[in-house]
Amino acid sequence: MTTGIRKIEAKEILDSRGVPTISIEVTAGENSKGIFDVPSGASTGAHEALELRDGDPARLNGRGVLKALQNVNEIIAPALLNFDVTDQAGIDKRLLELDGTPNKSKLGANAILGVSVASAKAAAVLKNVPVYMHLRDLADVSPSRKVPYLFMNLINGGLHAHSKLAFQEYLLVPQTESVEEALRIGVQIMHEAGRLIKEKYGPTFTNFGDEGGFAPDIADVKEPLNILFTAAKNLGLQDKIKLSLDVAATSFFKDGKYNFGGRSSNTEELLNLYHEICAQFPMLSMEDPFMEESFEDFARLNDGKVIVIGDDLTVTNPALLKKAIEMKSISGIIIKLNQIGTLTETIETMKMARAANIECVVSHRSGETKDDFIADLAFAYGAFALKSGAPSKTERLVKYNRLLEIVGQQ
Ligand code: 2PG
Ligand code: MG
């Protein structure tokens, strides 16, 4: 069987916010093709790998990705010609060598990741196995769950909405092994929450944010938790769910203070608020509760009562994860391929997390595409959860639907 890479093609496409991104097609062997469409974040961590943008104000507000395309066509494609597509570690090592910078700023993490994941998908086609099975051939990661929980972001604030709401994500996590049941619970509660918001605040408060959740223009950071929990109770589903938060606290941190709800809070006050929230609601996890450099503050909340998740804190980076483990900052980590830029490094981070008993939450970005690879990634390694927004927008739903499909095949 020939397994060499024959062709790598890059295209500029648009993501769910109408912002350019990169789509890569890798062809290997006879005619095995893998396509990956690269996502893009809004509340990005300072230490993420660099997403290369053209910066030409005359074209698409400087957000074009033609330079990244050029890097794929002129540098990456010739260097990987005839490379064994099933050798993921080898491909990613070559990509790192070609780039040669610590944060992938020469070729762009968007260019590099596109090739890395499209190669894995082409390899799965070549081997005639589902993507998750090919991933399992690449690595052993100690699983948390047979089927990941769904982290459904039903109320959007922060940088994902044009509202007064400072906290970024209010997530519903159905407590069930069944993806089908989790989705059913998710949409029922979403519709009931929408009804409650409309009744109390009027119809314009039910407009959607970037991840398909409601984006009500309210300032009280506890109110969305109230709405979701009341919706669950109204449907008799309160024992079937837990709630999670992605505070994304860096987005409202300035001059040593957390500025939200019309006032400035210090770390102590924010910590007290979180304790109050945990006492009042069935909280499963809290993501980025403090700004992205504050490993010690994370550790103060991480007392075993709620899962404390690092996202901007750890940016899927093994070195930052190591620091978070040493400082006992987290008990969960967000896994985002484009924060680090290659599949191999992403898997390395997942492995390291699981070896330290940290839960992996495989996550979409707020700027998404039709790609469903993260569902295979989450399932392959028995991740704790798959986080893919609200079940109301196609770019979010394709990931949940792919998980449904995978589970149906078992
Ligand atoms: C997050 C993500 C995804 P963004 O903070 O967890 O929900 O948002 O892609 O904007 O970083
Ligand atoms: Mg986050």
Side-chain angles (χ1 to χ4, degrees):
M1 185 164 67
T2 70
T3 57
I5 291 179
R6 285 178 39 203
K7 202 162 60 174
I8 300 181
E9 283 181 313
K11 274 194 294 199
E12 187 180 64
I13 59 166
L14 294 171
D15 73 12
S16 56
R17 280 192 280 248
V19 173
T21 188
I22 232 178
S23 173
I24 301 284
E25 182 176 278
V26 169
T27 308
E30 292 305 316
N31 195 25
S32 302
K33 291 179 188 297
I35 298 176
F36 183 61
D37 298 340
V38 178
S40 172
S43 67
T44 48
H47 303 294
E48 292 194 21
L50 184 109
E51 181 183 74
L52 189 62
R53 301 249 172 222
D54 297 339
D56 169 8
R59 187 173 176 277
L60 299 159
N61 284 329
R63 309 211 69 195
V65 290
L66 299 182
K67 277 186 198 156
L69 296 196
Q70 203 179 359
N71 290 341
V72 174
N73 294 331
E74 292 176 9
I75 301 172
I76 298 177
L80 287 181
L81 194 66
N82 296 325
F83 211 98
D84 177 1
V85 79
T86 63
D87 177 11
Q88 188 69 41
I91 290 172
D92 290 341
K93 185 163 168 276
R94 190 81 190 93
L95 287 168
L96 294 188
E97 285 163 4
L98 288 171
D99 181 78
T101 69
N103 64 344
K104 304 185 175 67
S105 53
K106 180 176 166 217
L107 300 179
N110 39 356
I112 292 172
L113 181 68
V115 174
S116 179
V117 177
S119 299
K121 287 176 136 189
V125 173
L126 191 134
K127 287 160 68 181
N128 199 19
V129 297
V131 171
Y132 67 87
M133 273 194 194
H134 171 58
L135 291 176
R136 282 181 185 165
D137 291 342
L138 295 179
D140 270 329
V141 179
S142 143
S144 295
R145 290 176 58 78
K146 204 154 176 269
V147 181
Y149 282 125
L150 305 190
F151 270 38
M152 287 185 269
N153 179 10
L154 298 189
I155 297 187
N156 301 181
L159 296 177
H160 297 166
H162 303 284
S163 75
K164 293 192 277 294
L165 190 57
F167 290 7
Q168 183 177 282
E169 302 174 23
Y170 293 81
L171 306 123
L172 182 87
V173 189
Q175 298 298 291
T176 165
E177 278 281 325
S178 153
V179 179
E180 194 265 336
E181 189 189 13
L183 280 171
R184 188 156 25 89
I185 291 173
V187 292
Q188 276 178 279
I189 293 180
M190 177 174 75
H191 293 144
E192 177 63 6
R195 196 189 65 74
L196 291 172
I197 295 170
K198 192 171 160 196
E199 191 177 80
K200 191 162 171 189
Y201 297 102
T204 56
F205 278 50
T206 62
N207 290 337
F208 286 159
D210 284 356
E211 297 188 350
F214 301 115
D217 192 20
I218 47 186
D220 178 357
V221 293
K222 274 191 192 170
E223 173 66 351
L225 293 166
N226 251 322
I227 293 167
L228 293 182
F229 196 49
T230 307
K233 279 195 291 201
N234 288 353
L235 299 166
L237 291 170
Q238 67 275 19
D239 298 330
K240 278 278 193 183
I241 58 115
K242 288 203 188 286
L243 299 175
S244 288
L245 270 178
D246 180 3
V247 178
T250 306
S251 65
F252 54 87
F253 181 80
K254 211 175 159 221
D255 303 329
K257 291 272 185 189
Y258 295 97
N259 305 295
F260 67 97
R263 55 188 292 249
S264 290
S265 300
N266 60 25
T267 302
E268 213 57 42
E269 289 166 318
L270 202 51
L271 189 64
N272 285 341
L273 173 67
Y274 295 147
H275 287 142
E276 250 174 65
I277 285 176
C278 288
Q280 224 177 320
F281 300 99
M283 299 306 296
L284 178 67
S285 65
M286 302 267 214
E287 178 180 336
D288 283 347
F290 301 102
M291 62 81 80
E292 63 195 350
E293 312 283 350
S294 46
F295 286 80
E296 285 111 4
D297 297 339
F298 273 66
R300 291 180 66 194
L301 184 63
N302 192 27
D303 60 2
K305 294 200 185 88
V306 67
I307 301 173
V308 175
I309 298 180
D311 174 16
D312 292 347
L313 183 84
T314 36
V315 293
T316 317
N317 184 314
L320 291 170
L321 171 59
K322 189 163 172 276
K323 183 170 175 190
I325 292 170
E326 281 163 8
M327 297 187 63
K328 299 190 172 39
S329 306
I330 54 170
S331 35
I333 182 171
I334 290 287
I335 299 294
K336 290 172 175 165
L337 289 151
N338 77 330
Q339 282 182 326
I340 186 72
T342 64
L343 178 57
T344 303
E345 289 166 288
T346 304
I347 297 170
E348 189 194 330
T349 302
M350 293 179 82
K351 261 189 170 173
M352 188 193 276
R354 292 304 301 137
N357 223 358
I358 286 171
E359 302 290 11
C360 292
V361 176
V362 175
S363 169
H364 68 157
R365 299 306 308 243
S366 50
E368 262 298 336
T369 70
K370 66 176 190 317
D371 203 279
D372 59 11
F373 179 79
I374 58 168
D376 284 78
L377 182 65
F379 183 79
Y381 300 132
F384 181 70
L386 172 65
K387 170 169 134 161
S388 178
S392 68
K393 284 180 147 193
T394 306
E395 76 276 7
R396 315 290 149 189
L397 275 165
V398 286
K399 282 78 162 167
Y400 295 137
N401 285 338
R402 170 66 185 147
L403 191 59
L404 204 53
E405 181 179 55
I406 295 172
V407 170
Q409 289 165 355
Q410 304 308 302

